[in-house]
C-alpha cells in the first residue's frame, strides 16, 4: 500500500495434505517423506526470495526510466535559476552604508523605515490566498504573502526563494539580506545534489545487472522435489486401486448380507395375499338381518 518493497517474509502455516502413499511411506520410515517436506519449505522460501528480487529489479528499472530523469530535469532547471540569481547577487552586493530598497515605487534609504513599511503591508493581507508585490531589493522582486501563522517574502528570480518574516522591522531587513547572500551556497548544494543523483543512477544500473544469487540452488532443489513427487505418485495408483477394490468387495458382502436378512424377516407379497382374510363387520350384518326379519 505504501509502494515500498520491504524484504520481509513470514513462514506459512503448514497445511500440507499427505497422500495415501506418503502416509504409508511415512509410517514405514521412508526417508523420502522427510526430504520432500523439507524441500517444500526450502523451495517456497527460495521462490519468495526470487519474487522479492524480481520486484526490486522492476522498481529499480522504473527509477532509471522514469524517476531519475524527472529528478535530473528538475535539478537542472533549479540550478539554471540559481545561477541567474547568483549573477544578480554578484551584480548587487550588500552595501552596509548605502542601503536602498524600493517599496511601492518609493525608495527607502533607512533600514528601520523600510522594515516598518513592510510590516504595514502585512496588515493589508488577511487570507492565505492573497499576495502582494511590494517592491524590489538588490535586483530581486519581492512578493509578500500570508502562510496562516507567519508572513513571508518570495524572491521570484531565485527559484521562488522564501524568507519568513518576524515582528521586528530591522530584523526583517537582516533576514532578507542573509537570504540573498545565501543564494550562491544554495547553488553549490544543488550542484552536489545533481552529482549525487548521477551517482545513484550508476549504482542502480549495477544493481540491475546482478542476478539472483540462489538461482542454481532453487533449480537443483526444485528438480529434486519434482523427482520425489513423481516417485511417491507412482506408488499411489497401485495402493489406491487395491484399496478401492477391497472397499468395493466389502460393500458387496455387506449388501448381500442385508438382502438375506430382509428375505428372512419379510414374507413375499403372494404369500401375504393367500393368507389375507378380511374381517367381517358384525354390526352391519346384524342390521341387515333385522331388516329381513
Amino acid at each position: 500500500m505504501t509502494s515500498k518493497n520491504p524484504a520481509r517474509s513470514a513462514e506459512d502455516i503448514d497445511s500440507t495434505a499427505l497422500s495415501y502413499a506418503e502416509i504409508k511411506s511415512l509410517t514405514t520410515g521412508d526417508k523420502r517423506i522427510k526430504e520432500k517436506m523439507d524441500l517444500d519449505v526450502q523451495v517456497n522460501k527460495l521462490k519468495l526470495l526470487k519474487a522479492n528480487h524480481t520486484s526490486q529489479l522492476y522498481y529499480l528499472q522504473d527509477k532509471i526510466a522514469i524517476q531519475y530523469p524527472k529528478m535530473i530535469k528538475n535539478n537542472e532547471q533549479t540550478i539554471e535559476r540559481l545561477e541567474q540569481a547568483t549573477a544578480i547577487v554578484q551584480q548587487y552586493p550588500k552595501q552596509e552604508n548605502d542601503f536602498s530598497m524600493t517599496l511601492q515605487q518609493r525608495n527607502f534609504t533607512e533600514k528601520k523605515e523600510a522594515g516598518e513599511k513592510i510590516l504595514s503591508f502585512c496588515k493589508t493581507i488577511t487570507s492565505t490566498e492573497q499576495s502582494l508585490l511590494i517592491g524590489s531589493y538588490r535586483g530581486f522582486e519581492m512578493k509578500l504573502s500570508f502562510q496562516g501563522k507567519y508572513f513571508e517574502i518570495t524572491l521570484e528570480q531565485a527559484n521562488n526563494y522564501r524568507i519568513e518574516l518576524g515582528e521586528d522591522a530591522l530584523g526583517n531587513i537582516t533576514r532578507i539580506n542573509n537570504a540573498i547572500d545565501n543564494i550562491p551556497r544554495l547553488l553549490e548544494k544543488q550542484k552536489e545534489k545533481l552529482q549525487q543523483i548521477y551517482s545513484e543512477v550508476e549504482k542502480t544500473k549495477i544493481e540491475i545487472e546482478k542476478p539472483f544469487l540462489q538461482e542454481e540452488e532453487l533449480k537443483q532443489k526444485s528438480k529434486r522435489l519434482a523427482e520425489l513427487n513423481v516417485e511417491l505418485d507412482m506408488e499411489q495408483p497401485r495402493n489406491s486401486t487395491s484399496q478401492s477394490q477391497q472397499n468395493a468387495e466389502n460393500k458387496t458382502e455387506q449388501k448381500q448380507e442385508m438382502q438375506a436378512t430382509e428375505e428372512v424377516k419379510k414374507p413375499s407379497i403372494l404369500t401375504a395375499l393367500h393368507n389375507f382374510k378380511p374381517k367381517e363387520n358384525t354390526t352391519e350384518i346384524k342390521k341387515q338381518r333385522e331388516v329381513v326379519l
Side-chain angles (χ1 to χ4, degrees):
M1 293 178 69
T2 60
S3 75
K4 298 180 181 179
N5 293 276
R8 296 178 293 186
S9 60
E11 295 289 343
D12 194 7
I13 297 176
D14 188 4
S15 57
T16 304
L18 298 178
S19 65
Y20 174 78
E22 291 170 342
I23 295 175
K24 180 180 178 182
S25 300
L26 186 62
T27 55
T28 56
D30 193 339
K31 296 181 178 180
R32 294 177 300 175
I33 295 299
K34 184 179 183 304
E35 183 182 3
K36 176 189 180 311
M37 298 179 71
D38 290 340
L39 284 175
D40 279 331
V41 175
Q42 296 174 19
V43 169
N44 287 334
K45 186 177 294 185
L46 289 172
K47 286 182 177 179
L48 177 61
L49 292 176
K50 185 177 181 179
N52 289 336
H53 174 76
T54 303
S55 177
Q56 184 68 12
L57 287 182
Y58 290 152
Y59 172 71
L60 295 177
Q61 289 173 356
D62 288 342
K63 289 189 70 174
I64 290 179
I66 301 174
Q67 297 183 27
Y68 283 136
K70 289 182 178 179
M71 294 170 63
I72 292 173
K73 183 178 179 180
N74 292 335
N75 275 269
E76 289 177 344
Q77 292 175 348
T78 301
I79 289 173
E80 182 179 357
R81 289 192 290 267
L82 288 176
E83 286 176 342
Q84 296 173 357
T86 301
I88 297 175
V89 173
Q90 295 172 353
Q91 185 178 357
Y92 298 94
K94 181 174 63 174
Q95 301 292 336
E96 294 293 341
N97 300 322
D98 188 16
F99 176 79
S100 178
M101 178 181 288
T102 302
L103 298 172
Q104 293 288 316
Q105 300 180 353
R106 178 185 170 186
N107 188 42
F108 290 83
T109 57
E110 296 293 333
K111 294 181 180 179
K112 184 176 181 180
E113 188 179 0
E116 291 175 349
K117 186 63 175 178
I118 292 174
L119 291 177
S120 67
F121 290 146
C122 294
K123 297 178 181 180
T124 63
I125 300 177
T126 58
S127 70
T128 57
E129 297 178 357
Q130 288 181 281
S131 63
L132 179 65
L133 188 63
I134 61 175
S136 62
Y137 178 59
R138 295 177 60 181
F140 293 97
E141 297 292 333
M142 298 187 298
K143 183 172 67 175
L144 182 66
S145 60
F146 180 53
Q147 300 303 316
K149 294 183 178 180
Y150 59 89
F151 290 89
E152 68 177 16
I153 287 178
T154 303
L155 305 180
E156 295 185 347
Q157 296 98 321
N159 195 40
N160 293 327
Y161 192 8
R162 301 177 184 274
I163 307 165
E164 183 178 342
L165 300 179
E167 297 180 357
D168 183 65
L170 287 174
N172 287 334
I173 300 299
T174 302
R175 292 186 182 192
I176 295 173
N177 278 321
N178 292 339
I180 293 176
D181 293 336
N182 191 47
I183 289 176
R185 286 189 288 272
L186 291 178
L187 175 61
E188 294 302 319
K189 289 183 179 180
Q190 202 68 34
K191 288 181 178 180
E192 292 176 1
K193 184 177 180 181
L194 181 60
Q195 292 301 321
Q196 184 179 0
I197 294 174
Y198 282 129
S199 177
E200 290 179 3
V201 170
E202 296 302 321
K203 291 180 181 179
T204 303
K205 289 181 179 179
I206 295 175
E207 289 294 324
I208 288 178
E209 298 299 326
K210 290 183 179 180
F212 179 54
L213 299 179
Q214 296 167 292
E215 181 67 33
E216 188 61 30
E217 181 184 358
L218 176 59
K219 288 182 179 179
Q220 293 178 358
K221 291 185 176 181
S222 297
K223 180 180 178 182
R224 177 55 183 162
L225 181 60
E227 292 174 354
L228 289 174
N229 288 332
V230 171
E231 292 176 6
L232 295 173
D233 289 342
M234 288 177 62
E235 297 179 1
Q236 184 175 358
R238 293 197 301 270
N239 293 326
S240 298
T241 302
S242 59
Q243 184 68 22
S244 299
Q245 291 177 353
Q246 183 66 31
N247 292 337
E249 292 176 359
N250 292 338
K251 288 182 180 180
T252 302
E253 292 178 358
Q254 292 177 358
K255 186 175 180 181
Q256 291 175 354
E257 291 177 359
M258 291 176 63
Q259 290 177 351
T261 303
E262 289 178 355
E263 288 178 357
V264 172
K265 292 181 179 180
K266 297 181 181 180
S268 66
I269 296 176
L270 184 60
T271 303
L273 289 173
H274 282 298
N275 296 334
F276 176 74
K277 291 183 178 180
K279 296 181 179 180
E280 292 182 353
N281 192 334
T282 54
T283 305
E284 185 66 25
I285 293 174
K286 288 180 179 181
K287 289 182 179 181
Q288 291 178 358
R289 287 179 177 177
E290 291 176 356
V291 170
V292 173
L293 294 174

